[in-house]
């Protein structure tokens, strides 16, 4: 053997031994570890893309946070250097990102300063100063003096006699109301032309009032009060330099108009207004009878007394009538009667229609409907005609950008619908797109949501809409055919494609240019970024086994601030260029994680008892050996695989187990996905959870004699149901569970005062009917009624101030198991709610929960609190953690 090969082998052995030594010396996660865990907080990318601002905050260490909350880090993208800044609040970028404003401590005082990031120059600021986002300018007003100050060039401005003012455009042009000695004047002009502002309106007989300005249209309006009591309403335009009267004194007096309510419709000469309210003397209530208190529950009350008591109760006030006045033809007519809903108009220059959302028909049904329903009406602003469009809608309604189409989601058709107001013709997109536009996996009784819309084309003539995987383009007028922009590649690849949207709102999309697209592989849950050409060509930029989120981008779009994470990789900040060819991590939030046992996570798949493919997450300890036996906990809620790449944060338990901690201590943890059949939630859970656990047993991954079960709240119900149908689990923790649907159906959620029935008929509990329509189903899904079948040792967690699930449910289950003489313990942290909020209670629960599972799954001794109990005289004196 040559010497070089020998040296290489020795080096390899050395590295292996060192790595193995470090690996074996890793510690188990504990309370001390929890207090070291941090998150990246308050992060921002400067608009010019040159700087990243962030700080570190601890998840569970208030003392450390008192120090770190005031330490900010500035990462310079070009050089990779990081500097620190002590600041008593969140710094704010302005002037394109070259300056920040922040509060600086100086001894006992705190002052506001502006700091130039190029040269660290600092300038004191007044509190409440307005900051220019584009250039180094600040502005403030003192009494009637307006000051606009340049921080670098000597271009400051001072104006006196200023009332209301508006600064607009990136270089801060100005329009303002000036109160002169004998008149009111509206001036406008460029900031750097002091003394040369144009006068758009002057009057020495009237006091201008309610002056407003719309930057997007460069227009505005104002009302006035004359010396003789006359009133009027005017509109003005900086584009045309015209001022026009829309309401004169006679019209205001004749119609008794409240000038504060006047609203101009775009740039038209039409205004909406309300009448001035008549002052009404308050009716005397008389003397209150306090000899007794009566709580009256009426079947037709809009809000029941329990909800009134918590939310407060105010009788519904009728909205006033609305009127329309058109200065072009002198017409004035009533637009809406008293009690009408809000009017929503398109933000266009000449709106012709509005829509209303009338919730009135559904107000008395809110006790059993989770989603607020409304009827949609189209209102003709020229004729005041109100026309019903659709009933029982639940989703947002949109005007197209040009105001010529109305878009709504019809729950019955399970489709987006485009309405052309003038002809009242509809286009149902489900008739044009061959795949469902509603969430096909949605498993609750209330109407399934849509996959959403991405936005509108830049000219406002096309709608971009999603199916489950792909992106479609719809011509609003129908002049061209609807087409799949992504050419159904998403469906072929089993990958979800969504247009990148930094603001998570409806946007304008350039369908003729290249767009950025985010991807999620439904099979692996890997995420990525692609480019989408106008012709539909998809090109990957980055993709991998992580969750990638673009949180901000520079103004020019060339620099991106991202977060990237998976089970092994913490949620750090990354900086990337637009192509993602250059991407680097800029924070190291929790380097100490390498010192702790963490385990691995993988997605597993099996066929459930309903004959469907089921997925789940399987967590294995670092030293997992398939030939050894490990304790296992099955814990779940609904679906978990879509979040498989979210990095967990270890910590004390608020209710459920902390998965990284249990994996660190040698446990296998299994999280099966559960999709529900309406009317059969218990059986659905059984088909998924029991089948998945059995599949892992059959594969030799887990020991059938060492499998614990845990659920809380909704999954607490599922856990309770499962142990009435199977004895495969060694022990079970049932937390804050619904255990008798027949009684809880008419219960009250104490946190809100709202009846529970909406949870069953229309929401999470998935019965989908009233109790009386499916009495057998409600009985079948009530674990308490089958408690005699429970032979699994149970630890019940339920606190007496639980506002979501009645404490009596947990206590009833315990009493049933006590009567049946089955091993059961119940922990009530007095004064705590659905989850534990107080840290001492969290710490105690974390200890006892682990001791319970360790006893049954690791064969550790039973602690004294389980053997002896804790009587009322021992509370607080002897916690009995010992054996």
């Amino acid at each position: 053997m040559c010497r070089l090969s020998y040296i290489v082998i020795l080096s390899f052995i050395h590295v292996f031994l060192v790595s193995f030594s470090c690996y074996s010396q890793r510690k188990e996660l504990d309370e001390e570890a929890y207090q070291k865990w941090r998150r990246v907080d308050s992060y921002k990318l400067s608009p010019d893309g040159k700087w990243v601002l962030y700080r570190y905050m601890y998840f569970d260490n208030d003392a450390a946070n008192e120090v770190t909350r005031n330490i900010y880090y500035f990462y310079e993208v070009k050089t990779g250097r990081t500097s620190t800044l002590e600041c008593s609040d969140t710094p704010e970028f302005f002037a394109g990102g070259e300056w920040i404003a922040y509060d600086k401590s100086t001894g006992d005082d705190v002052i506001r300063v502006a700091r130039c990031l190029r040269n660290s120059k600092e300038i004191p600021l007044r509190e409440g100063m307005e900051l220019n986002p584009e250039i180094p300018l600040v502005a403030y007003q003192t009494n009637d003096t307006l000051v606009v100050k340049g921080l670098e060039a000597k271009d400051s401005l001072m104006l006196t006699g200023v009332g209301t003012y508006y600064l607009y455009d990136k270089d801060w042009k100005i329009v303002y109301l000036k109160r002169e000695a004998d008149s009111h004047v509206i001036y406008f002009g460029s900031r750097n032309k002091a003394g040369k502002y144009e006068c758009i309106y002057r009057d020495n007989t009237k006091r201008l009032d309610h002056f407003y300005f719309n930057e997007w249209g460069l227009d505005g309006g104002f009302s006035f009060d004359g010396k003789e009591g006359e009133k009027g309403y005017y509109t003005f335009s900086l584009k045309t330099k015209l001022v026009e009267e829309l309401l004169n004194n006679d019209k205001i007096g004749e119609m008794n108009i409240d000038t504060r309510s006047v609203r101009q419709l775009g740039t038209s000469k039409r205004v909406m207004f309300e009448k001035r309210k008549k002052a009404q003397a308050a009716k005397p209530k008389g003397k209150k009878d306090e000899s007794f208190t009566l709580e009256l529950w009426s079947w037709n009350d809009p809000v029941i007394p329990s909800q009134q008591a918590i939310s407060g109760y105010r009788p519904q006030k009728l909205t006033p009538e609305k009127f329309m006045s058109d200065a072009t033809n002198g017409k004035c007519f009533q637009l809406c009667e008293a009690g009408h809903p809000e009017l929503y108009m398109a933000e266009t220059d000449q709106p012709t229609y509005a829509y209303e959302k009338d919730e009135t028909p559904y107000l008395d049904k809110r006790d059993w409907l989770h989603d607020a329903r409304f009827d949609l009406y189209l209102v003709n602003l020229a004729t005041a005609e109100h026309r019903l469009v659709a009933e029982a809608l639940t989703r947002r309604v949109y005007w197209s950008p040009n105001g010529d189409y109305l878009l709504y989601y019809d729950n019955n058709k399970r489709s987006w619908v485009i309405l052309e107001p003038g002809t009242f013709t509809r286009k149902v997109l489900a008739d044009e797109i061959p795949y469902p536009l509603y969430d096909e996996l949605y498993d609750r009784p209330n109407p399934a949501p849509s996959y959403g819309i991405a936005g509108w084309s830049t000219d406002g003539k096309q709608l971009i809409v999603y199916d489950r995987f792909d992106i479609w383009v719809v011509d609003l007028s129908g002049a061209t055919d609807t087409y799949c922009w992504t050419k159904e590649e998403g469906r072929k690849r089993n990958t979800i494609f969504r247009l990148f949207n930094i603001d998570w709102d409806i946007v304008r999309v350039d369908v003729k240019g290249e767009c950025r697209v985010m991807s999620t592989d439904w099979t692996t849950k890997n995420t990525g970024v692609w480019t989408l050409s106008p012709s539909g060509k998809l090109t990957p930029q980055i993709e991998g086994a992580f969750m990638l989120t673009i949180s901000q981008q520079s103004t020019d779009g060339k620099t991106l601030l991202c977060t990237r994470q998976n089970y092994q990789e913490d949620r750090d900040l990354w900086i990337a260029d637009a192509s993602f060819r250059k991407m680097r991590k800029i924070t190291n939030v929790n380097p100490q994680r390498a010192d702790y046992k963490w385990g691995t996570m993988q997605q597993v798949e099996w066929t459930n008892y309903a004959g469907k493919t089921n997925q789940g997450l399987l967590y294995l300890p670092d030293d997992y050996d398939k030939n050894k036996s490990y304790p296992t906990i099955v814990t779940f809620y609904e679906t978990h695989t879509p979040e498989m790449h979210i990095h967990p944060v270890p910590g004390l338990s608020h209710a459920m187990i902390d998965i990284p901690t249990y994996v660190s201590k040698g446990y296998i943890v299994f999280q099966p996905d559960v999709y529900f059949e309406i009317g059969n939630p218990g059986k659905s859970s059984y088909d998924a959870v029991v089948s998945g656990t059995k599949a892992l047993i059959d594969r030799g991954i887990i020991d059938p004699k060492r499998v614990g079960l845990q659920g809380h709240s909704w999954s607490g119900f599922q856990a309770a149901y499962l142990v009435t149908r199977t004895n495969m689990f060694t022990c079970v923790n049932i937390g804050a569970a619904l255990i008798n649907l027949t009684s809880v159906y008419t219960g009250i959620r104490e946190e809100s005062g709202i009846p529970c029935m909406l949870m069953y008929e229309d929401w999470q509990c998935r019965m989908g009917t009233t109790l009386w329509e499916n009495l057998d189903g409600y009985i079948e899904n009530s674990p308490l009624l089958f408690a005699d079948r429970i032979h699994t040792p149970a630890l019940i967690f339920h606190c007496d101030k639980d506002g979501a699930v009645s404490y009596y449910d947990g206590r009833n289950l315990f009493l049933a198991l006590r009567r049946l003489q089955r091993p059961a313990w119940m922990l009530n942290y007095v004064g705590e709610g659905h989850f534990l909020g107080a840290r001492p209670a969290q710490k105690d629960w974390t200890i006892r929960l682990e001791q319970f599972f360790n006893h049954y799954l690791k064969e550790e001794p039973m602690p004294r609190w389980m053997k002896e109990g804790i009587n009322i005289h021992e509370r607080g004196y002897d916690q009995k953690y010992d054996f």
Side-chain angles (χ1 to χ4, degrees):
M1 180 182 293
C2 72
R3 180 173 176 79
L4 180 61
S5 300
Y6 184 73
I7 292 173
V8 169
I9 293 174
L10 285 179
S11 299
F12 174 80
I13 293 173
H14 174 74
V15 169
F16 174 79
L17 290 175
V18 170
S19 300
F20 181 80
S21 175
C22 293
Y23 182 84
S24 63
Q25 291 176 9
R26 288 181 177 177
K27 299 176 287 186
E28 294 181 353
L29 289 165
D30 55 16
E31 187 181 1
E32 180 183 356
Y34 305 155
Q35 295 192 313
K36 297 177 183 178
W37 241 259
R38 304 183 301 179
R39 66 181 184 275
V40 183
D41 185 75
S42 302
Y43 48 88
K44 295 178 182 177
L45 176 68
S46 64
D48 57 13
K50 295 180 179 179
W51 299 89
V52 179
L53 160 73
Y54 63 93
R55 67 178 177 181
Y56 292 119
M57 294 291 285
Y58 289 84
F59 285 100
D60 186 17
N61 194 328
D62 292 340
N65 280 337
E66 286 301 313
V67 176
T68 60
R69 74 173 67 254
N70 297 327
I71 301 176
Y72 285 85
Y73 297 88
F74 285 87
Y75 176 84
E76 190 173 16
V77 175
K78 182 178 180 179
T79 65
R81 290 195 295 263
T82 301
S83 57
T84 60
L85 176 73
E86 290 196 24
C87 171
S88 59
D89 73 342
T90 305
E92 179 181 2
F93 285 115
F94 71 103
E98 290 197 350
W99 287 75
I100 58 166
Y102 71 100
D103 287 351
K104 180 179 181 179
S105 298
T106 57
D108 296 332
D109 296 326
V110 176
I111 62 171
R112 190 77 172 164
V113 298
R115 179 188 179 102
C116 181
L117 293 173
R118 281 185 288 104
N119 54 26
S120 300
K121 174 184 177 182
E122 289 191 345
I123 298 175
L125 297 177
R126 286 173 175 258
E127 193 66 35
M129 268 187 170
E130 193 173 349
L131 307 174
N132 188 298
E134 302 287 342
I135 56 180
L137 289 174
V138 296
Y140 63 93
Q141 187 175 19
T142 303
N143 298 323
D144 65 348
T145 299
L146 172 66
V147 177
V148 181
K149 183 178 181 181
L151 299 182
E152 293 179 331
K154 295 181 179 180
D155 56 355
S156 298
L157 167 70
M158 181 179 293
L159 295 174
T160 58
V162 176
T164 306
Y165 73 92
Y166 296 88
L167 298 168
Y168 65 97
D169 277 359
K170 66 178 183 180
D171 60 348
W172 272 1
K173 295 181 178 64
I174 184 170
V175 55
Y176 67 98
L177 172 64
K178 184 174 183 180
R179 298 185 178 96
E180 297 182 344
D182 59 348
S183 61
H184 278 190
V185 189
I186 297 177
Y187 286 112
F188 74 96
S190 297
R191 171 185 51 84
N192 55 7
K193 292 184 178 180
K196 298 180 181 180
Y197 296 112
E198 292 187 59
C199 170
I200 197 167
Y201 180 83
R202 178 189 296 272
D203 197 300
N204 57 9
T205 65
K206 303 179 180 70
R207 180 175 61 83
L208 301 193
D209 196 12
H210 302 298
F211 166 56
Y212 75 91
F213 176 70
N214 295 318
E215 181 177 350
W216 62 273
L218 295 180
D219 56 18
F222 58 90
S223 57
F224 68 78
D225 290 320
K227 292 180 179 179
E228 303 300 325
E230 72 271 26
K231 295 180 181 295
Y233 183 86
Y234 283 77
T235 183
F236 66 89
S237 169
L238 300 188
K239 294 178 180 177
T240 64
K241 312 293 176 63
L242 294 177
V243 178
E244 297 181 89
E245 183 182 60
L246 298 187
L247 292 172
N248 58 31
N249 185 64
D250 292 342
K251 179 73 71 176
I252 291 174
E254 175 190 341
M255 297 297 297
N256 194 28
I257 295 174
D258 179 2
T259 55
R260 294 174 179 267
S261 70
V262 175
R263 176 183 176 188
Q264 184 181 358
L265 274 66
T267 59
S268 70
K269 295 183 180 181
R270 295 171 294 160
V271 292
M272 286 194 309
F273 62 86
E274 300 165 4
K275 288 188 176 182
R276 191 180 292 112
K277 296 177 183 178
K278 296 179 181 179
Q280 294 182 341
K283 295 180 180 179
K285 291 185 176 181
K287 186 178 180 180
K288 184 178 180 181
D289 184 351
E290 297 183 344
S291 61
F292 66 94
T293 299
L294 170 67
E295 182 180 89
L296 175 63
W297 295 62
S298 297
W299 71 277
N300 56 354
D301 273 344
V303 181
I304 60 175
S306 59
Q307 193 175 350
Q308 292 179 28
I310 292 172
S311 304
Y313 180 70
R314 295 180 180 84
Q316 186 176 6
K317 292 183 179 180
L318 291 179
T319 52
E321 305 159 300
K322 276 197 183 298
F323 295 83
M324 178 77 74
S325 176
D326 191 337
T328 59
N329 55 27
K331 289 184 178 180
C332 186
F333 57 90
Q334 184 172 328
L335 188 60
C336 298
E337 297 179 352
H340 67 89
E342 179 75 22
L343 283 175
Y344 299 88
M345 287 172 285
E347 294 184 0
T348 58
D349 288 345
Q350 302 285 337
T352 309
Y353 292 89
Y355 70 81
E356 288 183 335
K357 299 192 296 183
D358 184 12
E359 297 183 354
T360 307
Y362 309 98
L363 293 179
D364 60 350
K365 301 176 178 61
R366 289 184 296 186
D367 289 356
W368 56 88
L369 294 179
H370 179 271
D371 295 343
R373 269 72 164 175
F374 62 89
D375 294 338
L376 180 65
Y377 285 85
L378 185 69
V379 182
N380 189 316
L381 297 177
T383 65
E385 178 190 19
H386 289 58
R387 193 169 179 182
L388 179 65
V389 175
E391 296 178 306
L393 303 184
T394 56
R395 308 295 171 183
R396 185 175 171 184
V397 179
Y398 304 90
W399 280 112
S400 65
N402 301 327
D404 42 7
Y405 294 95
L406 189 66
L407 177 70
Y408 65 92
Y409 185 78
D410 190 305
N411 291 320
N412 293 324
K413 293 181 173 63
R414 298 199 290 189
S415 172
W416 290 104
V417 179
I418 299 171
L419 176 75
E420 198 285 306
T423 61
F424 213 71
T425 56
R426 292 176 171 89
K427 177 189 288 189
V428 181
L429 297 192
D431 297 339
E432 302 196 7
I433 296 174
Y435 304 107
L437 300 178
Y438 62 90
D439 186 346
E440 301 150 79
L441 301 179
Y442 195 73
D443 60 357
R444 298 187 180 191
N446 64 314
S450 74
Y451 288 114
I453 62 176
W456 313 89
S457 60
T458 49
D459 61 5
K461 295 180 179 180
Q462 294 172 304
L463 170 70
I464 295 89
V465 64
Y466 297 130
D467 73 5
R468 182 178 174 186
F469 296 105
D470 287 296
I471 306 170
W472 296 77
V473 180
V474 181
D475 188 288
L476 297 174
S477 67
T480 60
D481 292 338
T482 295
Y483 66 92
C484 183
W485 192 0
T486 49
K487 297 186 179 299
E488 299 189 33
E489 278 298 314
R491 191 166 296 274
K492 295 173 187 175
R493 297 171 180 266
N494 206 32
T495 295
I496 299 167
F497 287 114
R498 296 294 183 256
L499 287 172
F500 168 68
N501 183 353
I502 198 71
D503 297 320
W504 295 99
D505 200 2
I506 305 306
V507 294
R508 295 290 187 100
V509 179
D510 183 8
V511 296
K512 297 180 180 179
E514 188 173 80
C515 293
R516 183 176 289 134
V517 176
M518 310 300 292
S519 69
T520 302
D521 186 307
W522 184 251
T523 303
T524 64
K525 310 305 183 295
N526 294 353
T527 63
V529 180
W530 302 56
T531 57
L532 175 63
S533 74
S535 64
K537 181 182 179 181
L538 284 159
T539 305
Q541 290 186 303
I542 185 173
E543 193 174 26
F546 44 69
M547 177 174 284
L548 178 68
T549 304
I550 303 175
S551 58
Q552 286 180 272
Q553 64 179 4
S554 59
T555 304
D556 60 11
K558 294 181 179 179
T559 305
L560 306 172
L561 181 64
C562 312
T563 59
R564 203 175 91 170
Q565 60 182 315
N566 58 30
Y567 182 71
Q568 299 292 344
E569 184 179 329
D570 214 328
R571 190 175 186 268
D572 277 296
L573 295 180
W574 293 69
I575 203 77
D577 66 348
S579 68
F580 282 88
R581 293 190 184 96
K582 298 178 182 178
M583 186 174 182
R584 63 181 182 270
K585 188 168 72 168
I586 63 176
T587 61
N588 190 13
V589 62
N590 286 306
Q592 79 282 359
R593 193 190 70 77
D595 300 333
Y596 293 93
K597 297 179 181 179
W598 193 255
T600 60
M601 181 271 294
Q602 60 185 273
Q603 184 173 272
V604 292
E605 197 169 277
W606 68 97
T607 300
N608 66 28
Y609 292 152
K612 298 179 180 179
T613 299
N614 217 127
Q615 294 179 324
L617 299 181
L618 179 65
Y619 299 82
L620 301 174
D622 283 337
D623 54 356
Y624 175 74
D625 182 342
K626 64 180 181 179
N627 296 314
K628 292 182 179 180
S629 169
Y630 294 88
T632 299
I633 295 177
V634 179
T635 182
F636 59 96
Y637 194 77
E638 292 187 348
T639 58
H640 301 279
T641 55
E643 289 81 40
M644 69 177 291
H645 291 317
I646 293 179
H647 187 79
V649 177
L652 295 171
S653 173
H654 298 204
M656 304 285 278
I657 66 167
D658 178 66
I659 291 177
T661 298
Y662 276 74
V663 173
S664 176
K665 295 184 177 183
Y667 276 86
I668 294 173
V669 177
F670 176 44
Q671 284 190 298
D673 285 348
V674 182
Y675 287 96
F676 296 90
E677 177 188 344
I678 305 302
N680 289 304
K683 183 178 182 299
S684 301
S685 181
Y686 181 92
D687 288 345
V689 178
V690 176
S691 67
T693 306
K694 183 65 165 57
L696 295 184
I697 291 172
D698 292 345
R699 295 172 192 177
I701 296 174
I702 60 178
D703 184 342
K705 297 179 181 179
R706 306 174 70 187
V707 185
L709 178 67
Q710 184 192 45
H712 178 264
S713 191
W714 175 232
S715 64
F717 151 77
Q718 296 174 68
Y721 177 93
L722 293 179
V723 292
T724 66
R725 286 354 189 235
T726 180
N727 293 322
M728 74 181 305
F729 299 103
T730 311
C731 59
V732 62
N733 165 224
I734 300 169
L738 313 160
I739 55 94
N740 186 356
L741 273 58
T742 64
S743 63
V744 180
Y745 173 79
T746 50
I748 298 288
R749 291 173 69 90
E750 297 298 329
E751 63 190 6
S752 61
I754 296 174
C756 295
M757 57 185 68
L758 66 82
M759 296 293 294
Y760 298 90
E761 294 188 38
D762 204 42
W763 193 235
Q764 187 180 42
C765 299
R766 295 174 169 88
M767 293 305 295
T769 67
T770 67
L771 171 65
W772 307 277
E773 290 171 311
N774 186 15
L775 180 58
D776 289 343
Y778 275 82
I779 292 173
E780 171 71 15
N781 285 279
S782 296
L784 179 67
L785 306 182
F786 302 93
D788 59 321
R789 301 180 183 177
I790 298 176
H791 296 279
T792 307
L795 177 63
I796 300 167
F797 167 91
H798 215 136
C799 300
D800 58 354
K801 296 301 179 182
D802 192 325
V805 180
S806 172
Y807 163 68
Y808 301 107
D809 261 37
R811 194 173 69 181
N812 288 344
L813 179 60
F814 169 76
L815 291 174
L817 295 177
R818 175 180 166 87
R819 175 63 186 85
L820 293 164
Q821 286 295 283
R822 308 288 162 77
W825 297 262
M826 177 177 170
L827 300 184
N828 166 27
Y829 291 89
V830 178
E832 291 286 333
H834 196 57
F835 296 94
L836 296 177
R839 196 176 189 282
Q842 296 168 7
K843 183 176 178 179
D844 183 86
W845 168 240
T846 300
I847 293 170
R848 296 188 197 278
L849 180 62
E850 185 179 342
Q851 287 186 331
F852 172 77
F853 281 129
N854 284 352
H855 171 66
Y856 283 105
L857 304 179
K858 286 188 173 182
E859 297 182 351
E860 290 188 1
M862 181 180 282
R864 285 197 301 122
W865 65 268
M866 291 177 67
K867 286 189 292 186
E868 303 172 5
I870 299 176
N871 67 51
I872 195 169
H873 301 295
E874 294 173 322
R875 292 179 191 170
Y877 294 101
D878 188 356
Q879 302 296 357
K880 300 189 178 181
Y881 299 138
D882 57 305
F883 306 114

